[in-house]
Amino acid sequence: MNTESEKKPIFYKTWAFRYLAIACLALIACAIGALFYNHHPKPLKENRFAKRDIHAGTSRATLTLADGKKIILDDAPNGILAQESGSSIIRTGTGQITYAVNEKGADADATKSKGVNSLETPLGGQYQVRLPDGTKVWLNAGSKLTYPASFPPSKARKVELIGEAYFEVPKIVAKSLIPGNDTTINVTFIVVSEKQRIEVEAARFNISGYPDDEYTITTVLEGAAQINYYNLIKADQQSIRGENGLQITAANTKEAVAWKNGRFLFQEESLETIMKSISRWYDVEIVYTNDGVRKELFSLSVSRFDNISATLKSLENTGLVKFKIKGRKITVLR
């Protein structure tokens, strides 16, 4: 028979195991808590650009009529703005004008008149126009489109572009100009831009040809385009024209027209190219403290309608670059 003194060690051993178990559980709880804390999303830090943020661009443009009169479209009322060469120029809403052709006098006026209009967007602006032939044009920031107020019948439709624009050109069929020939022809649409001539019949395409860019890039989404008379670009292809001539390659069409759809979209593009687009849209000056970072490649996908801070922070998240905002100057820090 066991005595009381023989039972005490068992009693103490039991409590020792309990204390050890409690201590182990406490350590496990602390470890789980630390793990949760380290991996759980922390509250967002205050936006360090908040006090110096810059708003995105808006629908802004200036229309210049054949007589030299200028109309600031962002201040103009909706409705008919002017009459030019048999067409009524109508502001249909924020960010768009259209040319409505007067069928009774259009042919005569178009044949006689050489009236030329131009639509120009400032830095930080964009605009849309529907031309007299029904062609729809989206004009990017810092760009200019020059065109006749009414296109002559049966003759090529010709416009001039500086900067960047997206075109949706409808097919136009007209009678042949050859006397006694009753056949019909497809009327071509011609865009003269930076060191190139684009000719289409019916197509959707984008041209980016700013004077300060190294290349002029034409991307075809639908149809086909002839560039400089001898080179054919088909759908999902693009031409890249630079100092060393013309190159035709497969195109990332989503990236080419992302600006028109309200996004910045770049895949492995140089920081210099990306910052040029940002500078035009937000109307800011870009300064580099280290030229070496200009050619580094980045990918970016953000809304063009966010403040500039959201765009800059997306680039900063790569850990390769930082920015400083002072007024309308963006300094790129290594």
Side-chain angles (χ1 to χ4, degrees):
M1 186 174 180
N2 293 330
T3 65
E4 184 177 347
S5 59
E6 290 176 331
K7 294 180 180 179
K8 282 183 180 180
I10 299 174
F11 174 81
Y12 290 137
K13 280 184 180 181
T14 303
W15 278 104
F17 281 122
R18 287 181 182 177
Y19 283 128
L20 181 60
I22 292 171
C24 289
L25 289 173
L27 287 173
I28 293 171
C30 289
I32 293 173
L35 187 66
F36 177 82
Y37 177 80
N38 288 333
H39 290 268
H40 192 271
K42 299 174 181 60
L44 293 175
K45 293 182 180 179
E46 183 181 355
N47 181 4
R48 63 188 180 85
F49 296 131
K51 295 181 180 179
R52 302 176 297 278
D53 218 342
I54 297 171
H55 297 300
T58 57
S59 293
R60 299 163 55 206
T62 299
L63 174 67
T64 302
L65 303 178
D67 61 2
K69 179 183 177 183
K70 295 182 181 294
I71 302 174
I72 309 300
L73 294 174
D74 30 317
D75 294 333
N78 291 343
I80 297 176
L81 301 177
Q83 300 279 349
E84 289 265 313
S85 301
S87 294
S88 297
I89 307 172
I90 304 169
R91 185 179 189 271
T92 59
T94 302
Q96 185 176 10
I97 59 170
T98 184
Y99 283 70
V101 178
N102 180 348
E103 295 182 1
K104 293 182 179 180
D107 290 348
D109 288 344
T111 303
K112 295 176 183 178
S113 175
K114 295 183 179 180
V116 173
N117 289 182
S118 68
L119 182 66
E120 187 169 5
T121 55
L123 296 176
Q126 64 179 20
Y127 222 81
Q128 298 178 42
V129 57
R130 184 179 183 275
L131 300 178
D133 67 333
T135 294
K136 297 177 182 178
V137 186
W138 284 253
L139 204 59
N140 203 354
S143 302
K144 182 178 181 180
L145 183 71
T146 303
Y147 51 90
S150 187
F151 291 104
S154 304
K155 291 185 179 181
R157 305 162 280 167
K158 184 179 178 180
V159 303
E160 295 180 8
L161 172 68
I162 298 173
E164 183 168 21
Y166 169 78
F167 295 82
E168 290 186 351
V169 180
K171 184 176 182 179
I172 300 293
V173 178
K175 292 181 180 180
S176 172
L177 294 175
I178 301 174
N181 188 341
D182 294 332
T183 60
T184 58
I185 58 170
N186 294 330
V187 181
T188 58
F189 186 94
I190 299 170
V191 183
V192 178
S193 61
E194 187 73 10
K195 298 180 182 179
Q196 70 175 24
R197 177 186 187 274
I198 298 292
E199 183 177 326
V200 304
E201 290 183 354
R204 295 192 299 120
F205 59 99
N206 190 86
I207 299 176
S208 180
Y210 289 96
D212 61 339
D213 277 348
E214 187 177 356
Y215 303 105
T216 296
I217 301 175
T218 302
T219 307
V220 178
L221 285 76
E222 185 178 290
Q226 199 167 28
I227 178 169
N228 294 346
Y229 301 99
Y230 304 112
N231 304 282
L232 184 66
I233 316 172
K234 299 179 181 179
D236 299 325
Q237 291 184 329
Q238 67 180 193
S239 66
I240 304 173
R241 180 175 177 79
E243 292 183 358
N244 297 325
L246 182 74
Q247 181 183 10
I248 296 176
T249 66
N252 183 337
T253 56
K254 288 184 179 180
E255 183 176 346
V257 299
W259 69 268
K260 172 250 180 187
N261 296 323
R263 294 198 68 78
F264 284 116
L265 179 60
F266 298 97
Q267 297 291 334
E268 291 296 303
E269 193 63 73
S270 72
L271 182 64
E272 184 173 26
T273 297
I274 295 173
M275 295 310 295
K276 277 186 178 181
S277 294
I278 290 172
S279 70
R280 290 167 185 149
W281 182 234
Y282 291 98
D283 188 14
V284 294
E285 178 187 359
I286 307 297
V287 177
Y288 293 86
T289 58
N290 183 345
D291 283 343
V293 76
R294 292 173 182 261
K295 302 302 180 183
E296 290 199 14
L297 303 182
F298 291 79
S299 295
L300 178 69
S301 179
V302 294
S303 171
R304 268 174 42 116
F305 299 109
D306 288 338
N307 287 350
I308 197 170
S309 62
T311 303
L312 298 182
K313 283 192 291 184
S314 292
L315 291 170
E316 283 192 345
N317 285 341
T318 63
L320 300 174
V321 68
K322 281 192 175 295
F323 302 93
K324 181 176 72 175
I325 300 176
K326 185 176 181 180
R328 302 201 76 84
K329 180 186 289 186
I330 308 299
T331 302
V332 184
L333 307 171
R334 180 67 178 189

